[in-house]
Amino acid sequence: MSRLLTVTGLALRELWISFRLLIAVGAVVISALPMALLSNRPEDLLGESWTPLQLFAVGLAVALSLVGALAAAALSGERRRGTIGWLVSRSVPRALVVLGWFSAFALVLLLGLAPAGVLVWLTLGTATDALTGPASLAVPLLACWAAGAAAVALGLLLGSLLPRLPAALLTMALAAAALVPAAAGLAPDLAAPPAPAAGLAVIGSLLEAARPIADSLRSAGLSLVGAASVLVLGAAMLGRADL
């Protein structure tokens, strides 16, 4: 456990020095700003078929995809610079390196989702009376965090195999293809629980959702199982990589 905390701390330090931490947290928080700005007259810019909550869901899907791409670029860069090789030479297992970077990005996602969730809740104002309390938003956001964790795991897998730019671009494309259509309501199959993107779909229709908490928990569970499976594969791939 101590070595995991050490690797996670080193990963967070590298994210801070490289400004990736600020970019990741900022992207998640910024996804909530358009909803706050357009909450009074959304039809002026969005049209009648869009709501501020849907705009937030789509923005959050893009932000989660970006965080996954940052994870891919970060691990690939550390691998190319020899930093991971330096850790391995000091008896740090390669799987622990992957888990440490995953833990760092999971924490970064929480740092972004917490203020974004507060901003969205305050923006809803009296509309929250139709909900059953803050858990109606907090649990879907938890499902979004799990979907972001799955995107990070995908990024770490590709980052262990590919150079920095291809790994980041491919992660961004794959994650966005799975998350954005569901958040925008364009792919009902991707938005149906327990699909990983179901939490985003729940947020987009939060005020009309019949079972926001139950559907989000199912989505979060599948996302975390998927993230764990991809992490195992990523650790195996890094174990074969030339450091």
Side-chain angles (χ1 to χ4, degrees), residues 4-243:
L4 175 60
L5 293 177
T6 299
V7 175
T8 302
L10 290 173
L12 288 171
R13 180 178 179 274
E14 176 60 29
L15 292 176
W16 175 258
I17 293 174
S18 63
F19 298 103
R20 290 192 182 100
L21 190 150
L22 295 178
I23 294 172
V25 172
V28 176
V29 174
I30 288 173
S31 68
L33 293 182
M35 175 182 170
L37 296 174
L38 299 174
S39 60
N40 292 327
R41 296 181 59 84
E43 65 277 2
D44 291 346
L45 293 178
L46 302 180
E48 296 181 358
S49 61
W50 280 78
T51 67
L53 277 170
Q54 287 177 314
L55 185 64
F56 169 57
V58 172
L60 184 56
V62 174
L64 296 178
S65 303
L66 175 61
V67 174
L70 290 174
L75 188 66
S76 179
E78 294 298 297
R79 179 168 58 87
R80 295 283 175 169
R81 282 197 299 268
T83 307
I84 296 178
W86 180 83
L87 289 172
V88 171
S89 68
R90 282 153 179 78
S91 301
V92 177
R94 300 188 187 202
L96 194 63
V97 173
V98 175
L99 186 57
W101 275 96
F102 176 80
S103 300
F105 272 99
L107 180 59
V108 168
L109 282 172
L110 287 176
L111 292 176
L113 283 171
V118 172
L119 180 58
V120 169
W121 184 261
L122 294 176
T123 301
L124 288 173
T126 57
T128 58
D129 296 340
L131 304 176
T132 58
S136 298
L137 177 62
V139 176
L141 284 176
L142 175 63
C144 294
W145 170 83
V152 167
L154 175 62
L156 295 176
L157 169 61
L158 295 177
S160 67
L161 295 171
L162 302 174
R164 181 184 303 177
L165 185 58
L169 292 178
L170 185 56
T171 301
M172 183 80 180
L174 293 175
L179 300 180
V180 174
L186 301 177
D189 292 339
L190 294 177
L200 291 162
V202 168
I203 287 179
S205 60
L206 184 63
L207 300 180
E208 298 83 23
R211 301 184 305 172
I213 294 178
D215 290 345
S216 298
L217 287 175
R218 292 172 61 196
S219 172
L222 184 61
S223 296
L224 291 177
V225 169
S229 301
V230 175
L231 276 179
V232 171
L233 184 58
M237 293 299 102
L238 189 64
R240 295 173 176 271
D242 184 11
L243 303 179

